[in-house]
Amino acid sequence: MAALVLGTLAGCSSDSGGKADPTAGATHKAAAPVRLPVPDGFATETGWSTSASPEATDAEPGSSGFPLVAVAPTSGLVIQAAADGSRVRAFALASGKTVWTFTPKALTGVRAGVFVQEGKAGEKVVLARQGKTSGSGLSTSRRTTTIDVIAADSAKKATAAHHLDLAAPDDTAASFTATDSGILVGPVTDGVHEKAVAIDAATGAERSVQKRSVTVSGCGSGSCSVQASPAFATSQGVVSAFQQQDGCDQWAEGGTPCTYGFQVGDAWNSTSVAPSGMHVGIPLAVTGPYLVAAWHTSDTQTDPPTLSAPKRTILAVHDLSTGKIKAQVSCTSADAITLQPGSAQSSIHRSPNGDFLVSGQVGFDLSTGRGHCFTSTASTKGIDLTAVADDGTAYGIVHVVDDTEATSLYGRLPIAQDGTDTPEHDSARVSLRSGTATALPAASEVPVYVASGGHGVFRTRDVVAVYPGS
């Protein structure tokens, strides 16, 4: 892509830094479209666009971070938050018309993120902010994390159905780990929380979640208990990840291999659904009724699991409620990319018809159970997938290996940072039916969402644009 680089819809942070926010004007409206360089199949002469604020790198790579743009697919809305958290605006995806706006209680020094969650009560927009209260009057200023939940089908002047104010200790750098069905608030290390607050967007209820004891099989001659840390929340409960250290052979000297694994709520754990011969399972992401996990054998437990060569890794789509594998594919990569709990959450998307799914560098045809790898080889570069359409056409950014932690994490999309000269990225179009990949013209932007009617949503460092299919 050109100097305008895609900012992921989930996995970013932002701080206004005292600069004027282009999204904050009360009379702001979607304008005639800026004509970005996009793939064939999108009509850039029609549609709409609006200004956007750059999304800076999240302090905790691998978490879902602080995105400023999200899509509510059922409601047909593009949701945009101001960088300073002072306003949320919902645009009709097809027309760009402002459907509603939301103005939260004021905070200072804000980092804001906006998410869309789906439940039985319909789509909810979640505005998550870190900042400080004003300290006016007799009240002292204090750090806080606030959560505002707004119904996606709100009227013109939206109000929060639920408002949560969570005290934030001065020595704690909290983050948000959000999926389309749950949110955790708390410090993140290597993709997991020591402890966190789980938020139910439907009810506004909050509860504390911490490490839990999980029983795993294969500990020598029997079972043993391990401590599992919360990674992300789903409709089936919190997914917790663990690393077995006792009752196993950590040095691959002929004993029972140690296990990396995970527990999904109280429903199932990875040891009961692991593919044959796979001792390591990492929960990468969740969307709707599916969880994507990475599986492979392990020689030792001294290093984090990686997607590399020549050892093969199985990427699988599991039924979230039962653990049953719905689709899978075996992959290798010429790049050593760390597999971390939740690291592919920012890149997981289903096609609107539900037939296809992408996450990280793999894509699946759920109707056939087949998957395709778009990982690197000795002669080709990997592709980080960003969106998939109803016909199985997916788009992505050519993976760039550099010294940043973000590029070493599987599934993490590149983020456009404010005040930096972001390098150009190449991009590609792939078919999840055939597994073929085609390079796009230089400087092409790729969509972050493709609607059932063909509209593509594009996000650069300072523009959000929506173009109809041509």
Side-chain angles (χ1 to χ4, degrees):
M1 289 189 289
L4 298 178
V5 177
L6 172 73
T8 174
L9 289 190
C12 318
S13 69
S14 182
D15 190 331
S16 60
K19 298 180 181 179
D21 187 337
T23 70
T27 60
H28 180 81
K29 295 181 179 179
V34 172
R35 299 186 67 174
L36 300 174
V38 303
D40 292 342
F42 298 99
T44 58
E45 68 276 7
T46 56
W48 59 276
S49 65
T50 188
S51 301
S53 294
E55 297 173 334
T57 304
D58 185 13
E60 299 290 346
S63 71
S64 53
F66 299 81
L68 299 179
V69 177
V71 176
T74 302
S75 304
L77 299 175
V78 175
I79 311 296
Q80 184 180 35
D84 62 1
S86 62
R87 184 183 299 272
V88 178
R89 183 174 282 104
F91 298 98
L93 188 150
S95 69
K97 177 183 177 182
T98 299
V99 178
W100 54 260
T101 60
F102 171 72
T103 303
K105 295 180 180 179
L107 295 177
T108 61
V110 171
R111 303 175 77 197
V114 66
F115 309 93
V116 173
Q117 299 189 336
E118 180 67 55
K120 293 180 180 179
E123 285 181 318
K124 306 294 183 184
V125 175
V126 177
L127 174 66
R129 298 180 296 161
Q130 290 180 349
K132 290 185 176 181
T133 59
S134 65
S136 60
L138 296 177
S139 300
T140 57
S141 177
R142 60 180 175 83
R143 291 183 60 192
T144 184
T145 297
T146 64
I147 304 291
D148 289 285
V149 180
I150 309 111
D153 61 357
S154 291
K156 188 173 182 179
K157 277 288 188 181
T159 58
H162 307 290
H163 173 80
L164 289 78
D165 189 337
L166 309 175
D170 289 338
D171 60 349
T172 301
S175 190
F176 306 107
T177 302
T179 70
D180 60 0
S181 54
I183 185 169
L184 297 182
V185 180
V188 182
T189 302
D190 296 332
V192 297
H193 302 259
E194 282 292 317
K195 60 181 179 179
V197 175
I199 308 296
D200 185 332
T203 65
E206 57 182 280
R207 64 184 179 91
S208 176
V209 291
Q210 302 185 39
K211 286 186 176 181
R212 60 178 298 180
S213 179
V214 173
T215 300
V216 301
S217 58
C219 298
S221 59
S223 299
C224 60
S225 294
V226 297
Q227 292 297 303
S229 299
F232 48 83
T234 77
S235 59
Q236 295 295 317
V238 172
V239 174
S240 301
F242 59 80
Q243 178 184 357
Q244 181 189 359
Q245 295 178 319
D246 298 321
C248 60
D249 178 11
Q250 297 191 38
W251 308 107
E253 296 178 348
T256 302
C258 293
T259 298
Y260 275 87
F262 57 93
Q263 173 82 26
V264 179
D266 295 319
W268 56 278
N269 70 49
S270 57
T271 57
S272 63
V273 301
S276 178
M278 299 288 115
H279 308 297
V280 173
I282 303 95
L284 298 174
V286 65
T287 179
Y290 303 116
L291 180 144
V292 175
W295 300 93
H296 63 72
T297 58
S298 182
D299 294 330
T300 71
Q301 296 296 301
T302 58
D303 298 314
T306 59
L307 178 61
S308 57
K311 184 181 296 182
R312 290 191 169 271
T313 297
I314 291 178
L315 282 299
V317 179
H318 295 261
D319 183 300
L320 181 60
S321 61
T322 66
K324 180 181 178 180
I325 294 178
K326 308 291 289 185
Q328 66 180 51
V329 64
S330 180
C331 302
T332 61
S333 173
D335 304 319
I337 309 177
T338 301
L339 298 163
Q340 183 173 284
S343 63
Q345 189 62 46
S346 66
S347 61
I348 192 166
H349 295 286
R350 283 178 293 159
S351 60
N353 62 10
D355 289 345
F356 301 94
L357 183 152
V358 296
S359 185
Q361 298 183 357
V362 297
F364 299 93
D365 183 340
L366 299 177
S367 64
T368 65
R370 295 179 58 196
H372 294 286
C373 302
F374 300 98
T375 49
S376 61
T377 68
S379 59
T380 61
K381 299 176 182 178
I383 303 170
D384 296 315
L385 301 174
T386 62
V388 59
D390 280 344
D391 64 356
T393 299
Y395 301 88
I397 301 166
V398 175
H399 187 77
V400 175
V401 179
D402 56 31
D403 294 331
T404 65
E405 186 174 3
T407 64
S408 68
L409 286 174
Y410 178 81
R412 181 65 180 247
L413 292 177
I415 298 165
Q417 299 183 48
D418 192 11
T420 61
D421 294 325
T422 309
E424 293 186 359
H425 285 71
D426 293 323
S427 54
R429 176 166 41 208
V430 307
S431 169
L432 299 191
R433 294 188 186 274
S434 65
T436 57
T438 305
L440 292 170
S444 292
E445 302 287 349
V446 289
V448 293
Y449 181 76
V450 181
S452 57
H455 284 77
V457 180
F458 296 80
R459 169 72 162 107
T460 73
R461 71 181 304 275
D462 55 7
V463 173
V464 174
V466 178
Y467 306 121
S470 60

